[in-house]
Amino acid sequence: MTNCFKYAVLSVVAACSALHAGAQARIMNMEDHDSKPYYFGLTFGLNQSRYRIQYTEAFAQHDTFMHVQPGWGTGLNLGIMGNLRLSNFVDLRLIPSISFAEKKLSYVQPGLSADVQQKSVESIYIHLPLQFKFKSDRIHNFRFYGLAGGKMDYDMAANANSRRKDEFLKFKPMDLGYELGFGLEFYYPNFIFSPEIKLSEGLMNQIYPDKSLQLTNAIDQIRTRTILISIHLEG
């Protein structure tokens, strides 16, 4: 992963440590919040995305491409949150958001160049995750939670219908998948500060078969993987 993303992780950890120290004050903040049937919030975060590739038999048997490897790219998420209380320890959460993501591919094609060619695939997703949130007991002004759920992504920048002659691969816009993660909640007098990290795995094959593109003949399936670090501000 890129240095920028690593620095973001360290910054969140440092902020959480400082906020946790502040959250241990004797005053019990937002005592009636846990009894609310629903509430809303804002979310923003950084993501790291890459492809998971399954190669064709032709890739193994022929030397059209000597090397095809995915790489990580950094992006940004912005969205809103709706949280529905199901019980004292379980919530249902919907977080519609826009995700700007980048995935990278590097490959060597003999006959054209001996150098590794690097391509970036930029995506603009309408990201719709629906999650179950499993909460621990509240410890004064602090709580831990885990999450699990599904997602639907629609890539508004997908090029499946593109007729441009300079495309190296074509991708489908729709994806379904699952998400797993955990987070922390720090209660303040007027809001909840909640850092979170989750793994988002796409389950659908994203490659659009176009036999006129040589790289398509080397790749059988492409799926997405994203690690997202978010900050939620909840009311």
Side-chain angles (χ1 to χ4, degrees):
M1 290 184 282
T2 64
N3 289 333
C4 178
F5 195 73
K6 292 178 181 178
Y7 292 149
V9 174
L10 293 175
S11 298
V12 170
V13 171
C16 288
S17 298
L19 288 167
H20 179 61
Q24 298 309 305
R26 290 298 179 183
I27 299 174
M28 188 78 163
N29 295 322
M30 302 178 69
E31 289 189 68
D32 61 342
H33 183 272
D34 293 342
S35 61
K36 287 184 176 181
Y38 61 88
Y39 61 88
F40 300 96
L42 299 174
T43 179
F44 56 93
L46 291 175
N47 67 64
Q48 281 271 292
S49 301
R50 66 171 289 171
Y51 287 124
R52 294 175 293 135
I53 296 178
Q54 181 175 324
Y55 304 100
T56 62
E57 293 184 5
F59 176 77
Q61 297 173 358
H62 302 86
D63 62 354
T64 304
F65 289 90
M66 299 292 293
H67 163 97
V68 180
Q69 290 293 328
W72 292 97
T74 303
L76 176 69
N77 282 58
L78 298 169
I80 59 176
M81 174 195 301
N83 194 94
L84 178 66
R85 180 177 180 268
L86 300 180
S87 72
N88 289 338
F89 298 104
V90 182
D91 292 346
L92 183 64
R93 195 168 70 167
L94 177 66
I95 311 177
S97 55
I98 293 181
S99 176
F100 302 90
E102 180 185 26
K103 282 87 64 181
K104 297 180 180 180
L105 283 174
S106 61
Y107 59 90
V108 175
Q109 187 173 0
L112 295 181
S113 172
D115 297 330
V116 176
Q117 300 185 53
Q118 291 190 342
K119 298 286 188 179
S120 293
V121 180
E122 296 180 353
S123 299
I124 304 174
Y125 291 110
I126 297 176
H127 181 51
L128 296 173
L130 184 64
Q131 306 162 348
F132 286 99
K133 176 181 175 182
F134 304 98
K135 306 177 293 183
S136 71
D137 282 320
R138 178 171 171 176
I139 306 172
H140 202 57
N141 289 321
F142 169 78
R143 188 198 300 277
F144 171 87
Y145 67 87
L147 64 90
K151 67 159 187 174
M152 183 189 76
D153 287 335
Y154 186 86
D155 185 3
M156 295 184 290
N159 62 350
N161 297 320
S162 174
R163 297 185 178 181
R164 291 174 52 180
K165 295 183 179 180
D166 60 345
E167 302 286 9
F168 72 102
L169 276 178
K170 291 185 178 181
F171 298 93
K172 301 174 184 177
M174 183 67 71
D175 193 16
L176 299 174
Y178 68 89
E179 298 186 323
L180 299 170
F182 65 90
L184 308 172
E185 291 183 333
F186 299 96
Y187 287 74
Y188 286 84
N190 298 311
F191 68 95
I192 299 172
F193 176 86
S194 180
E196 176 185 292
I197 183 169
K198 71 176 180 180
L199 171 68
S200 179
E201 294 272 3
L203 298 177
M204 298 179 65
N205 184 11
Q206 295 302 106
I207 194 167
Y208 181 84
D210 186 337
K211 297 302 181 182
S212 67
L213 304 177
Q214 283 190 310
L215 194 54
T216 302
N217 300 319
I219 299 174
D220 183 41
Q221 296 186 24
I222 285 182
R223 295 182 174 86
T224 59
R225 170 174 292 166
T226 301
I227 298 173
L228 175 62
I229 294 180
S230 300
I231 297 295
H232 305 310
L233 299 177
E234 307 167 16

